[in-house]
Structure formats: structure tokens, C-alpha cells
Amino acid sequence: MGFSIYFMRVAQDRQLDADRDGIVDFLDRRGLHVVANPHGCSILDNEGVPVKFDGYHSDLLIDSLEQDKPLTGGIDHATLTNDECEFVYDLCVAAGFLIVNPQGSPTYVVPHRNHMPDDLPDLDDTAWVESGSELSQALTGSFGDFRVFRNRVISQSTDTDTDTDG
């Protein structure tokens, strides 16, 4: 069974373009490139093999880097393994994408603070993540548990920053 996730860059109700140079650099560093197919564009390695996570081919698609309209991407059958979440996190950071989770809360996942709170249509249904493992937790774990954990970490960081005894 697949879990669908989509990537895009937004400012409230407007879709913005991704960082195309960031995507190209990200893919080049991994020996990958975008190739058109009947359903969109796949990310392939230098041997023409679709990107794999944990040994399994992915149906990760991205819009053509040549198109004029803003880029989007997504995975219709995401497994949300550690490898896949790390790749998606890094791709979204490079592109400036946020992740849209149509399955439910959180609806929006913002990697590496690449969107401002004012950019998002629903702050109460948004998770802010700083790694692929946090992305995995936000999408596969209880969002409430994730939010409690994240708030505790942020609170401890703030307490440490203001601690004058240490």
C-alpha cells in the first residue's frame, strides 16, 4: 500500500517556482538526472534506472525542469523508509519545496525552515522538520507525539541558551 506525498513551493494560495539550480546541483551530486516519461519526469541514475530506496524502485516524479510553470513533484506510493525520507528531505531543501501530506495531519511539512509561517495556509496543521528522520516521524508517527517532542527540544534549547550557570 502506498502513502502519497507531494512537493511544491507556496506563498499562501500562490504556487511559486522551485530552486531549479538547487535541484540540478542536488541531482548532479548524486549522479541522477530528470527524464521525461508518459506520466511526468522520473529521476534516473546514469544507467537509466529509476531512483531506488532500500533496493526498491520508486515512483517519485518531478515536473520537467524545462517547463515554464512552477515545478512540483511527488511520490504516489511512498514507503517512507529512512532512505526515502532522507532523499525527500534533501531534495525538498535543495528545491525549496514543502511537503503536502493528503492523508491527514500534518497536512504541511516544512523541511529546514524553507518556508516562513506567513507562507502557509494552516500553521496548526504544519510540522517543521530538520532531518529525514524527523520527516519520517512527522509522516508515520503520531503528529501529536512529534509536536510534543519537538516543543520539548525547542524548549530545552531555549533553556540552555539562557542558562547563565553553565
Side-chain angles (χ1 to χ4, degrees):
M1 178 162 147
F3 193 96
S4 298
I5 55 175
Y6 303 101
F7 327 124
M8 63 183 59
R9 187 168 174 219
V10 300
Q12 285 292 326
D13 60 350
R14 291 180 305 127
Q15 187 176 343
L16 305 176
D17 200 15
D19 180 344
R20 293 169 190 248
D21 291 336
I23 293 171
V24 170
D25 181 56
F26 168 81
L27 295 174
D28 283 348
R29 285 184 279 125
R30 287 162 178 78
L32 302 170
H33 56 281
V34 177
V35 175
N37 67 47
H39 306 290
C41 292
S42 297
I43 296 178
L44 307 178
D45 67 16
N46 288 329
E47 296 171 2
V49 177
V51 68
K52 292 181 183 180
F53 303 111
D54 297 307
Y56 296 99
H57 293 285
S58 173
D59 63 352
L60 188 151
L61 297 175
I62 190 166
D63 291 329
S64 170
L65 299 176
E66 307 303 318
Q67 76 179 24
D68 291 332
K69 64 182 180 176
L71 297 178
T72 63
I75 306 176
D76 286 329
H77 302 96
T79 59
L80 302 180
T81 63
N82 289 337
D83 285 349
E84 187 175 64
C85 286
E86 289 293 333
F87 185 91
V88 167
Y89 177 84
D90 291 342
L91 171 64
C92 288
V93 169
F97 286 144
L98 61 72
I99 297 159
V100 178
N101 170 24
Q103 280 79 215
S105 191
T107 300
Y108 306 101
V109 182
V110 179
H112 198 61
R113 300 184 186 273
N114 66 9
H115 279 69
M116 301 301 294
D118 290 346
D119 293 334
L120 302 163
D122 186 356
L123 280 178
D124 291 332
D125 201 17
T126 300
W128 306 85
V129 298
E130 295 299 325
S131 68
S133 61
E134 286 186 8
L135 172 61
S136 175
Q137 176 66 31
L139 293 174
T140 62
S142 162
F143 182 48
D145 291 345
F146 176 78
R147 186 178 287 175
V148 168
F149 166 77
R150 185 87 173 134
N151 289 342
R152 185 172 53 236
V153 169
I154 291 170
S155 173
Q156 288 172 353
S157 173
T158 304
D159 292 346
T160 302
D161 292 344
T162 60
D163 185 9
T164 57
D165 294 334

